[in-house]
Amino acid sequence: MPYTDSYSMSKLGYDLVNKISKMAPVLIPVSIIGLVICAIFVLRGIGRKAKQEEICLDWFDRWKLEIALLICSFIITIGFAFFIVLGSSVRTIIITGITVGSIIVYLGCILLLETMVKRIKTHTVWKSTLLYAILHGLKEIIDHRNISTKLILLYWGFCLLGFFTTTIMVSALEAGEAGVALICMAVLLTQGIVVFSHLFKKRKEFEQIQLALKHIYEGNTNISLNTNEMQGVLKQLAIYIEDIAGGLSNAVNESLKSERLKTELITNVSHDIKTPLTSIINYVDLLKKEKMPNEKCTEYLMILDNKSQRLKKLTEDLVEASKASSGNIKLQIEKINVIELIKQVSGEFEDRFQARGLEEIMTIPEEPVFIKADGRYMYRVLENLYSNSSKYAMENTRIYVDVVVNQKSIVIQMKNISQEKLNIGAEELMQRFVRGDGSRNTEGSGLGLSIATSLTQLQGGKFHIYLDGDLFKVTLGFEKMPND
């Protein structure tokens, strides 16, 4: 009988297996251990080059995953095709077919293993798929639309997907295909979970942005938004908010620095002026006690006394204005009767008003009205307002002082007709060194309203100026305190 018949081939295989079976108890464990060790080294080394920690992707690894899988499957299929020669009766052809087929299958599997390991290590398995490219392209198209278009596209996409999936599920149930119906139900459930999680994430992003805006509104510019976890319009909005907060923080810091330098400059200059000015005033007082040789010298001495006193008042106002604007004032907040305080200030300015023909019309409650403030600085605020009216109100007119008692607040109003044209705004009028008369004929320093504004705000009150033609009106608002 020929040696290539089926019996001889079976005998050959039996003898080979019989020899291997005797070594199997030792060979199998050793082979498994060697396989695991080799697999670890191979998997760790895939994608790495000598003296380089980063994973290197080849040209094949940059192809779409579906294409790579198709190519590897095709190679493996070709390798298995060579096993068809096992049906041949020629031993040489059989061995050659098994060898070539095994090599081709091995190469296909190695190529598939290598590209999959590289993609897993670089976290690009999902991003390298055609489905991701399609979805990403659709997302780019949607992202470049306005928010209304985005909502319309996403809404109708959700509705259409749900409609088709539901239709297929109903048809499958009618046809008795339970497997297809279960798949459709799983798709609908997945769609609902994805949409809900997306909306929940957007809600959290919106709340973060809302909280950041609240902090900025309250004056806290030290905010932190994790823009890396946001997407779309909300991410861009968060970036804008962070930029605005950073700009505001820098502006506030620069403003505080500038204000501090101004305060230090004013304080130092005022102190340097005050020392020689005190000597001038003292010597003027000494000269006033001496007998002057003629009336001209007496007149000059009175002018010198008047101007030195005015300069002293100006330096004091400068220091007070700088302290008030910077908040460097120790307040003693207490419950004070605002009616008594207004009457006291009004009495001190009665002579000045009469000298210019000004009539004060006061409308105040008969019962005491209490506010929470510092008595000294509240007196200073009212004094500045009365002084402003005595200097800038039109002669032979009326000055109205009203105290309005509301349910929770007390409003003090003072209004008069200005002697000069008011061609500036209310905000500008409250700034330092701004005066109501452009000719600067009066003896004011331009600091009265600025000091009154700062002191009112430091005591928790509200200070407003209203200009209507030549009508000048000031309102002070404080929280009402109970009478008991």
Side-chain angles (χ1 to χ4, degrees):
M1 297 178 66
Y3 68 92
T4 56
D5 62 356
S6 59
Y7 176 79
S8 62
M9 293 299 296
S10 300
K11 180 64 169 60
L12 182 64
Y14 173 79
D15 293 338
L16 179 62
V17 171
N18 190 30
K19 292 179 181 179
I20 293 176
S21 63
K22 295 178 181 180
M23 298 182 294
V26 178
L27 187 60
I28 291 177
V30 172
S31 299
I32 293 176
I33 294 173
L35 177 64
V36 171
I37 295 173
C38 291
I40 292 173
F41 279 99
V42 169
L43 292 177
R44 288 189 61 184
I46 289 177
R48 300 184 187 275
K49 293 184 178 180
K51 298 180 180 180
Q52 186 173 352
E53 292 295 328
E54 296 181 357
I55 305 300
C56 299
L57 298 178
D58 297 330
W59 58 272
F60 184 73
D61 304 318
R62 294 185 176 89
W63 287 11
K64 296 303 178 184
L65 180 60
E66 292 85 351
I67 298 176
L69 292 176
L70 185 63
I71 292 174
C72 293
S73 300
F74 180 73
I75 293 174
I76 294 173
T77 302
I78 292 175
F80 278 114
F82 278 88
F83 292 163
I84 300 176
V85 299
L86 291 175
S88 175
S89 59
V90 181
R91 181 184 298 177
T92 304
I93 297 177
I94 294 174
I95 295 175
T96 303
I98 293 175
T99 304
V100 173
S102 300
I103 292 173
I104 294 175
V105 171
Y106 172 79
L107 292 176
C109 292
I110 287 296
L111 185 62
L112 177 61
L113 175 66
E114 184 178 354
T115 188
M116 288 302 299
V117 171
K118 288 181 181 179
R119 293 170 194 259
I120 292 173
K121 286 183 177 181
T122 55
H123 307 286
T124 57
V125 176
W126 164 242
K127 292 183 178 180
S128 63
T129 60
L130 282 173
L131 180 60
Y132 174 82
I134 294 172
L135 294 177
H136 186 70
L138 292 174
K139 181 178 178 298
E140 289 292 327
I141 294 174
I142 294 175
D143 286 343
H144 286 84
R145 305 290 179 181
N146 57 47
I147 190 167
S148 299
T149 306
K150 289 180 183 179
L151 289 174
I152 293 173
L153 291 175
L154 292 174
Y155 173 76
W156 284 109
F158 175 83
C159 292
L160 289 175
L161 179 61
F163 173 76
F164 285 119
T165 306
T166 304
T167 303
I168 295 172
M169 182 178 67
V170 172
S171 301
L173 289 174
E174 292 178 352
E177 298 177 355
V180 177
L182 289 175
I183 293 173
C184 292
M185 188 178 298
V187 170
L188 287 175
L189 183 62
T190 304
Q191 180 184 1
I193 295 173
V194 169
V195 171
F196 177 79
S197 61
H198 181 74
L199 293 176
F200 186 78
K201 180 182 177 182
K202 291 298 179 183
R203 184 189 67 85
K204 290 183 64 177
E205 294 176 1
F206 179 78
E207 287 179 349
Q208 293 179 9
I209 294 174
Q210 187 181 27
L211 184 61
L213 288 174
K214 181 181 178 183
H215 287 327
I216 295 175
Y217 176 77
E218 293 174 350
N220 180 17
T221 55
N222 296 324
I223 62 171
S224 178
L225 291 172
N226 193 354
T227 56
N228 294 327
E229 296 181 357
M230 298 183 181
Q231 294 179 349
V233 178
L234 292 180
K235 179 178 181 178
Q236 193 63 45
L237 184 60
I239 293 174
Y240 291 155
I241 292 173
E242 283 192 331
D243 292 342
I244 292 172
L248 284 175
S249 180
N250 293 333
V252 169
N253 291 334
E254 289 296 326
S255 177
L256 291 175
K257 182 179 179 181
S258 176
E259 193 67 27
R260 185 172 61 253
L261 291 175
K262 289 179 182 178
T263 302
E264 292 176 357
L265 177 62
I266 291 173
T267 303
N268 294 333
V269 171
S270 300
H271 182 269
D272 293 340
I273 294 175
K274 190 175 181 180
T275 302
L277 181 60
T278 303
S279 300
I280 293 172
I281 293 173
N282 291 334
Y283 280 112
V284 169
D285 291 338
L286 291 174
L287 287 174
K288 287 166 63 177
K289 296 178 182 179
E290 299 293 332
K291 185 177 181 181
M292 293 292 103
N294 51 55
E295 293 183 359
K296 278 290 183 182
C297 291
T298 304
E299 182 181 352
Y300 294 155
L301 184 61
M302 295 304 296
I303 294 174
L304 184 60
D305 183 38
N306 185 27
K307 298 303 180 182
S308 61
Q309 292 295 335
R310 180 183 174 187
L311 185 57
K312 179 183 178 182
K313 182 68 168 57
L314 177 60
T315 55
E316 291 174 351
D317 286 348
L318 278 171
V319 174
E320 188 173 10
S322 64
K323 289 182 178 180
S325 62
S326 61
N328 190 19
I329 291 178
K330 293 183 179 179
L331 298 175
Q332 295 180 357
I333 303 297
E334 57 185 355
K335 185 178 179 182
I336 61 174
N337 188 344
V338 70
I339 303 298
E340 290 183 358
L341 200 61
I342 292 175
K343 289 180 178 180
Q344 183 180 354
V345 178
S346 175
E348 294 189 4
F349 280 85
E350 185 176 354
D351 294 338
R352 298 189 196 182
F353 285 175
Q354 289 180 358
R356 300 190 67 235
L358 299 174
E359 180 185 0
E360 182 181 9
I361 307 298
M362 188 180 295
T363 305
I364 58 177
E366 296 180 359
E367 64 277 4
V369 176
F370 295 94
I371 62 173
K372 205 172 183 180
D374 188 307
R376 296 172 302 162
Y377 293 113
M378 190 62 198
Y379 182 89
R380 179 71 164 130
V381 171
L382 295 174
E383 183 183 31
N384 285 2
L385 296 181
Y386 270 84
S387 176
N388 185 76
S389 297
S390 67
K391 295 173 184 176
Y392 302 115
M394 182 180 290
E395 293 184 357
N396 302 315
T397 58
R398 297 181 180 88
I399 296 176
Y400 293 90
V401 179
D402 303 326
V403 177
V404 181
V405 180
N406 298 319
Q407 186 175 2
K408 294 183 179 181
S409 63
I410 303 296
V411 179
I412 304 171
Q413 297 179 353
M414 192 169 186
K415 53 189 175 182
N416 60 266
I417 300 298
S418 177
Q419 185 173 353
E420 301 289 336
K421 292 182 179 179
L422 298 175
N423 296 323
I424 58 178
E427 294 294 330
E428 185 180 356
L429 196 59
M430 286 191 293
Q431 296 177 3
R432 297 179 187 176
F433 306 108
V434 177
R435 293 163 62 178
D437 61 331
S439 60
R440 305 181 71 87
N441 292 325
T442 59
E443 295 185 354
S445 61
L447 295 170
L449 291 178
S450 176
I451 294 173
T453 303
S454 300
L455 291 178
T456 302
Q457 293 174 351
L458 284 175
Q459 297 176 89
K462 296 180 180 179
F463 189 99
H464 295 286
I465 292 180
Y466 302 92
L467 301 179
D468 187 3
D470 294 335
L471 175 64
F472 177 83
K473 178 181 177 182
V474 178
T475 62
L476 305 177
F478 286 90
E479 184 180 354
K480 179 182 177 182
M481 298 296 295
N483 293 340
D484 50 354

